[in-house]
């Protein structure tokens, strides 16, 4: 029976991604979906999908074999029907897309939804960075590369301050 999951979609990667990106995507998504840290009831299934995708793509020989089984995407960007069916059955990809859409809708005008386009946290929102390393936001606020984000960083840090002071007691 052919595999219906798409390893690239599960890891949210383009098929031409370099090995370093595959590892980074896996680690980032594993942090978000690990059953020990996620309150989602299907976190175990999400981690199983992530582990399968990473195991499939991390080794060059396995990745080449997997790539040979996939249907190529035409140049015009439209996916073949078989690939669309595989995408539709990718449960982790669907859950991630739904969660991202819900978060984007909820936070559309929020400063916390501002996404960095540079540095080690490129692609992450200010809220996500505050959850991982709030000290980086404090540094970025003072640094010249963060000037354009200063107002949004202030809002995120102000919202984070009651949580930080409450946890210190």
């Amino acid at each position: 029976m052919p595999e219906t999951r798409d390893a690239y979609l599960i890891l949210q990667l383009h098929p031409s991604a370099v090995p370093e990106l595959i590892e980074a995507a896996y680690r980032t998504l594993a942090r978000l979906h690990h059953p020990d840290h996620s309150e989602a009831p299907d976190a175990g299934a999400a981690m199983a999908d992530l582990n399968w995708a990473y195991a499939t793509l991390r080794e060059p020989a396995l990745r080449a074999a997997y790539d040979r089984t996939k249907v190529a995407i035409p140049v015009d960007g439209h996916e073949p029907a078989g690939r669309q069916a595989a995408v539709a059955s990718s449960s982790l990809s669907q859950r991630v897309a739904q969660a991202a859409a819900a978060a984007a809708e909820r936070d559309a005008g929020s400063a916390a939804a501002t996404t960095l386009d540079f540095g080690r946290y490129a692609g992450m929102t200010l809220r996500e960075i505050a959850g991982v390393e709030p000290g980086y936001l404090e540094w970025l606020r003072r640094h010249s590369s963060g000037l354009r984000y200063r107002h949004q960083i202030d809002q995120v840090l102000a919202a984070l301050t009651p949580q930080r002071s409450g946890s210190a007691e």
Side-chain angles (χ1 to χ4, degrees):
M1 184 171 152
E3 184 62 54
T4 58
R5 298 178 289 184
D6 187 326
Y8 293 107
L9 285 175
I10 290 171
L11 291 174
Q12 302 177 22
L13 292 168
H14 189 274
S16 66
V18 296
E20 292 83 7
L21 283 178
I22 292 170
E23 182 178 351
Y26 170 76
R27 288 175 182 253
T28 301
L29 291 169
R31 256 187 313 218
L32 292 173
H33 297 288
H34 195 280
D36 291 345
H37 304 290
S38 176
E39 296 177 13
D42 55 353
M47 272 308 296
D49 285 346
L50 283 171
N51 288 333
W52 170 82
Y54 184 57
T56 301
L57 299 179
R58 74 176 167 205
E59 296 293 329
L62 292 174
R63 182 179 180 183
Y66 175 76
D67 288 344
R68 283 190 297 272
T69 67
K70 302 309 289 175
V71 177
I73 299 175
V75 177
D76 65 0
H78 293 91
E79 294 182 338
R83 186 165 170 92
Q84 289 173 349
V87 172
S89 67
S90 179
S91 59
L92 177 61
S93 298
Q94 288 176 336
R95 290 192 302 273
V96 169
Q98 290 169 348
E105 185 176 312
R106 182 181 65 244
D107 297 333
S110 170
T114 301
T115 304
L116 289 187
D117 58 359
F118 64 91
R120 64 180 169 192
Y121 293 113
M124 291 180 70
T125 65
L126 294 178
R127 176 182 292 145
E128 292 169 336
I129 296 168
V132 175
E133 189 177 349
Y136 178 76
L137 289 181
E138 293 167 355
W139 171 85
L140 183 61
R141 185 189 179 286
R142 296 186 309 269
H143 194 269
S144 62
S145 62
L147 288 177
R148 60 185 163 155
Y149 298 108
R150 184 169 287 166
H151 179 70
Q152 293 93 337
I153 292 171
D154 287 343
Q155 290 177 350
V156 170
L157 290 176
L160 189 63
T161 301
Q163 295 172 350
R164 292 174 80 183
S165 64
S167 64
E169 293 176 9

